[in-house]
């Protein structure tokens, strides 16, 4: 029987589907490995997902990735970044949400782009009209070559962090900040109305952020009542007293902290309370 071209094409297509179904059971390594970073930040998180190509003896920036052209910050799908809270990027507002992260490499500076279409492949369908924010940062020259594209968060504090990109001999650093004080103060106020009052954490926050130290001392004293033999309560109470200028009270509290820490065999708090005692005696 003579088959028509149409029949042959249909047969090959069916065969291909069958082979594809079998192939789905096989697993192969990705040419560019994927990585997802989840960074605690402020009262929320930053999630970064990207693919990590290797240099493989190629010229990257100014080569396979031309200068002045939008780049997906990796391989495969566009790099994605998600913020659970509002942030500032290089001092400019960026609302909470998920974005695709693009960049434009340059010899002296990079343009970093946050685009509202988070789910897209490469930069093929990238639309500048969908950009939510663009900032410029300086190009950083690396002495040692970075073979595998690396992105990371560094210098992470409560309200600030740096997003770093390093590949080949180029890098950039993007400053990210957020504001939490208003939310934390509101959270403390609301929590103090409940049955489980966060005396310890609230007192620590007041101490660390220049709030009412008298209130902090009252809360730490209340926290101390829950476990009078806990050396950490003594430590923080003494720190608050010292910051208030009451060296005698701080020294007495630190001494108590040393004694309960020794009894509990908690060497770390023996050391910390001893350091506080020395500071109070200056």
């Amino acid at each position: 029987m003579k088959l028509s071209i149409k029949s042959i094409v249909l047969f090959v297509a069916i065969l291909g589907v069958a082979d594809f179904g079998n192939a789905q059971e096989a697993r192969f390594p990705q040419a560019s490995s994927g990585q997802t970073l989840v960074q605690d930040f402020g009262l929320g998180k930053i999630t970064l997902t990207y693919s990590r190509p290797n240099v493989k003896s190629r010229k990257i920036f100014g080569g396979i990735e031309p200068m002045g052209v939008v780049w997906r910050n990796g391989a495969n799908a566009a790099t994605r970044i998600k913020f659970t809270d509002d942030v500032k990027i290089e001092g400019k507002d960026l609302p909470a949400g998920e974005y695709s992260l693009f960049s434009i490499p340059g010899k002296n500076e990079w343009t970093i782009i946050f685009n509202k279409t988070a789910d897209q492949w490469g930069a093929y369908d990238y639309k500048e009209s969908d950009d939510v924010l663009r900032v410029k940062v300086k190009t950083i020259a690396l002495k040692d070559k970075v073979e595998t594209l690396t992105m990371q968060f560094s210098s992470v504090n409560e309200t600030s962090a740096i997003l770093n990109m390093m590949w080949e001999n180029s890098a950039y650093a993007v400053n990210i900040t957020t504001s939490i004080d208003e939310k934390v103060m509101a959270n403390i106020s609301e929590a103090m109305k409940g049955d489980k009052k966060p005396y310890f954490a609230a007192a620590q926050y007041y101490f660390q952020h220049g709030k009412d130290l008298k209130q902090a001392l009252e809360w730490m004293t209340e926290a101390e009542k829950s476990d009078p033999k806990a050396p950490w309560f003594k430590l923080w109470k003494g720190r608050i007293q010292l910051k208030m200028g009451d060296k005698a009270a701080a020294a007495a509290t630190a001494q108590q902290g040393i004694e309960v820490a020794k009894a509990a065999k908690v060497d770390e708090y023996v050391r910390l309370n001893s350091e506080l005692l020395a500071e109070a005696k200056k």
Side-chain angles (χ1 to χ4, degrees):
M1 179 178 67
K2 187 176 181 180
L3 296 174
S4 67
I5 296 296
K6 184 176 181 180
S7 299
I8 294 173
V9 170
L10 180 60
F11 176 73
V12 171
I14 293 171
L15 206 61
V17 169
D19 287 344
F20 178 72
N22 291 332
Q24 285 182 313
E25 298 175 4
R27 299 178 65 187
F28 301 94
Q30 295 293 320
S32 297
S33 62
Q35 185 176 59
T36 296
L37 305 176
V38 180
Q39 176 63 58
D40 292 340
F41 188 59
L43 298 181
K45 298 181 183 295
I46 307 173
T47 303
L48 177 73
T49 302
Y50 72 110
S51 292
R52 309 182 66 196
N54 291 317
V55 173
K56 296 180 179 178
S57 301
R58 301 172 295 179
K59 173 63 178 173
I60 303 300
F61 301 114
I64 64 171
E65 301 298 344
M67 296 291 189
V69 176
V70 173
W71 175 53
R72 62 185 127 181
N73 269 290
N76 304 323
T79 295
R80 300 166 69 132
I81 189 164
K82 181 179 181 180
F83 302 94
T84 58
D85 295 322
D86 296 345
V87 297
K88 288 183 181 291
I89 306 294
E90 294 292 325
K92 296 183 178 181
D93 291 331
L94 183 67
E98 187 170 22
Y99 305 92
S100 52
L101 180 66
F102 293 99
S103 61
I104 301 176
K107 183 177 180 181
N108 299 312
E109 67 177 13
W110 284 64
T111 299
I112 311 302
I113 304 167
F114 296 85
N115 187 276
K116 70 179 183 181
T117 306
D119 187 10
Q120 53 183 305
W121 186 264
Y124 302 110
D125 295 321
Y126 163 79
K127 294 178 182 178
E128 185 175 345
S129 60
D130 287 340
D131 289 350
V132 177
L133 178 66
R134 284 188 171 209
V135 298
K136 293 183 182 294
V137 296
K138 291 184 178 180
T139 299
I140 301 170
L142 300 176
K143 181 179 179 181
D144 298 321
K145 185 177 76 173
V146 176
E147 173 64 25
T148 304
L149 171 64
T150 298
M151 299 187 77
Q152 66 181 32
F153 294 101
S154 63
S155 301
V156 180
N157 296 301
E158 286 183 349
T159 58
S160 64
I162 297 174
L163 173 61
N164 304 99
M165 188 290 302
M166 298 157 284
W167 198 25
E168 194 187 27
N169 293 104
S170 292
Y172 65 68
V174 180
N175 290 295
I176 307 172
T177 58
T178 190
S179 178
I180 65 170
D181 188 65
E182 185 176 340
K183 291 181 179 179
V184 173
M185 292 297 285
N187 290 343
I188 291 173
S189 179
E190 187 63 28
M192 287 300 176
K193 298 175 185 177
D195 295 332
K196 295 183 178 180
K197 296 176 173 57
Y199 291 125
F200 186 46
Q204 286 179 306
Y205 187 83
Y206 267 45
F207 171 82
Q208 293 168 328
H209 293 84
K211 305 295 182 182
D212 184 348
L213 289 176
K214 183 179 178 181
Q215 178 66 80
L217 182 58
E218 290 177 9
W219 283 339
M220 192 58 68
T221 301
E222 288 298 319
E224 186 181 24
K225 292 177 182 178
S226 67
D227 188 355
K229 295 183 178 180
W232 42 87
F233 291 145
K234 308 293 185 187
L235 174 67
W236 282 94
K237 182 178 179 179
R239 284 174 173 174
I240 295 169
Q241 291 168 326
L242 183 60
K243 195 171 184 178
M244 293 176 73
D246 192 345
K247 290 188 174 183
T253 302
Q255 185 60 53
Q256 293 171 8
I258 293 169
E259 293 169 3
V260 295
K262 285 182 176 179
K265 297 182 180 180
V266 186
D267 292 341
E268 179 185 5
Y269 281 92
V270 173
R271 174 180 61 80
L272 291 172
N273 277 288
S274 296
E275 290 173 356
L276 176 61
L277 178 60
E279 186 68 22
K281 287 183 175 181
K282 287 183 180 179

